[in-house]
Amino acid sequence: MGYGSGQAVGGSVGAQESRCAVLLLLDTSEAMGRERIDRLNAALMQFKQALYADPETAKRVDIGIVSYGPVRTATDFVAAQSFYPPFLLTAADAPMGAAIEQGLALIRERKETYNDRGLSYYRPWLFLISAGAPSDDCQRAAEGIRDGEANKDFQFFAVGVEGADMQALRQVSVRAPLTLKGQQFDQLFSWLSASIAAVVRSAPGDTVPLSNPTAGGGWAAA
């Protein structure tokens, strides 16, 4: 997984804050199971608290959530200071390709909103968590990710929990996907909130070194 911030896009807007859109793509298929979905729900609450507790992050970051199994926009983009996580439940299939495509569409719409409002913005983040094998075709989603990464439209990160189809994740993600150790969702979202905070404190266009989640007993394995 590469570590670096996105770039701000758009003209100067004076006192207006540059925005950073973060979209979570969360597997809610039966592969997650009750215990893991409970831990994910708890970690999302901690994520909310961490974002809200940091004034810079709270006013600059917009959070959205797409869950899949089935695909739905569980949370449309909302400022971090107003974000409240949905309560996720597991279902049957895992249409990961369709979820990614919906996520890409939401990111495009969000960037259009920023442009219409004259807001500058950092490169958006899409952060996928997968627990099993996708139940649909992911080729078009993979092409969308490759094109978007090449054009610096967004950054896409993929994490597989135990039992995830890591080969499928490698096919869709430009960055090497990581494997979550055990059920350390809380550590994962702690890293994510800290990483986002580092990005929104950077100057537009700067590359921000993020901590390596595989090092020093981190939450991930390569």
Side-chain angles (χ1 to χ4, degrees), residues 11-85:
S12 173
V13 291
Q16 292 179 296
E17 301 289 347
S18 297
R19 308 299 295 179
C20 183
V22 178
L23 184 65
L24 307 178
L25 305 173
L26 305 179
D27 189 345
T28 54
S29 69
E30 60 186 358
M32 279 291 286
R34 180 172 179 177
E35 183 177 357
R36 290 199 290 208
I37 205 73
D38 286 347
R39 287 178 178 257
L40 176 57
N41 279 318
L44 286 172
M45 287 299 298
Q46 295 173 7
F47 181 54
K48 166 203 169 348
Q49 293 165 3
L51 295 174
Y52 189 79
D54 185 313
E56 284 294 317
T57 305
K59 66 186 178 182
R60 289 182 176 231
V61 174
D62 295 327
I63 303 291
I65 297 178
V66 170
S67 60
Y68 61 99
V71 177
R72 69 185 187 94
T73 302
T75 301
D76 207 348
F77 278 112
V78 63
Q81 57 195 358
S82 302
F83 170 62
Y84 195 89

Side-chain angles (χ1 to χ4, degrees), residues 8 12 15 22 30 35 50 58 85 92 96 129 137 155 183 200-201 212:
S12 173
V22 178
E30 60 186 358
E35 183 177 357
M96 186 173 77
I129 295 178
D137 184 79
Q155 298 187 98
Q183 300 185 38
V200 300
R201 282 177 168 77
N212 187 342

Side-chain angles (χ1 to χ4, degrees), residues 3-222:
Y3 307 103
S5 74
Q7 301 176 48
V9 179
S12 173
V13 291
Q16 292 179 296
E17 301 289 347
S18 297
R19 308 299 295 179
C20 183
V22 178
L23 184 65
L24 307 178
L25 305 173
L26 305 179
D27 189 345
T28 54
S29 69
E30 60 186 358
M32 279 291 286
R34 180 172 179 177
E35 183 177 357
R36 290 199 290 208
I37 205 73
D38 286 347
R39 287 178 178 257
L40 176 57
N41 279 318
L44 286 172
M45 287 299 298
Q46 295 173 7
F47 181 54
K48 166 203 169 348
Q49 293 165 3
L51 295 174
Y52 189 79
D54 185 313
E56 284 294 317
T57 305
K59 66 186 178 182
R60 289 182 176 231
V61 174
D62 295 327
I63 303 291
I65 297 178
V66 170
S67 60
Y68 61 99
V71 177
R72 69 185 187 94
T73 302
T75 301
D76 207 348
F77 278 112
V78 63
Q81 57 195 358
S82 302
F83 170 62
Y84 195 89
F87 185 73
L88 302 175
L89 297 170
T90 56
D93 58 353
M96 186 173 77
I100 292 172
E101 290 185 54
Q102 181 160 321
L104 295 178
L106 289 173
I107 287 293
R108 285 193 296 270
E109 291 171 6
R110 195 61 181 173
K111 291 168 69 175
E112 289 173 1
T113 297
Y114 292 152
N115 287 329
D116 289 345
R117 295 177 180 176
L119 294 171
S120 62
Y121 56 90
Y122 296 90
R123 196 185 311 173
W125 284 37
L126 288 90
F127 200 91
L128 174 90
I129 295 178
S130 173
S135 60
D136 63 349
D137 184 79
C138 295
Q139 181 176 351
R140 191 164 61 179
E143 291 172 355
I145 291 169
R146 285 194 296 271
D147 290 345
E149 288 274 17
N151 294 327
K152 297 185 177 181
D153 292 333
F154 53 78
Q155 298 187 98
F156 180 86
F157 303 87
V159 175
V161 302
E162 183 180 358
D165 186 339
M166 299 304 293
Q167 180 59 30
L169 293 182
R170 283 189 284 271
Q171 290 173 352
V172 301
S173 181
V174 173
R175 293 173 182 79
L178 297 180
T179 301
L180 183 69
K181 292 180 181 177
Q183 300 185 38
Q184 297 185 30
F185 292 103
D186 52 348
Q187 290 93 330
L188 183 160
F189 279 99
S190 177
W191 175 89
L192 182 58
S193 62
S195 299
I196 294 168
V199 168
V200 300
R201 282 177 168 77
S202 68
D206 284 357
T207 297
V208 178
L210 306 178
S211 63
N212 187 342
T214 67
W219 55 265

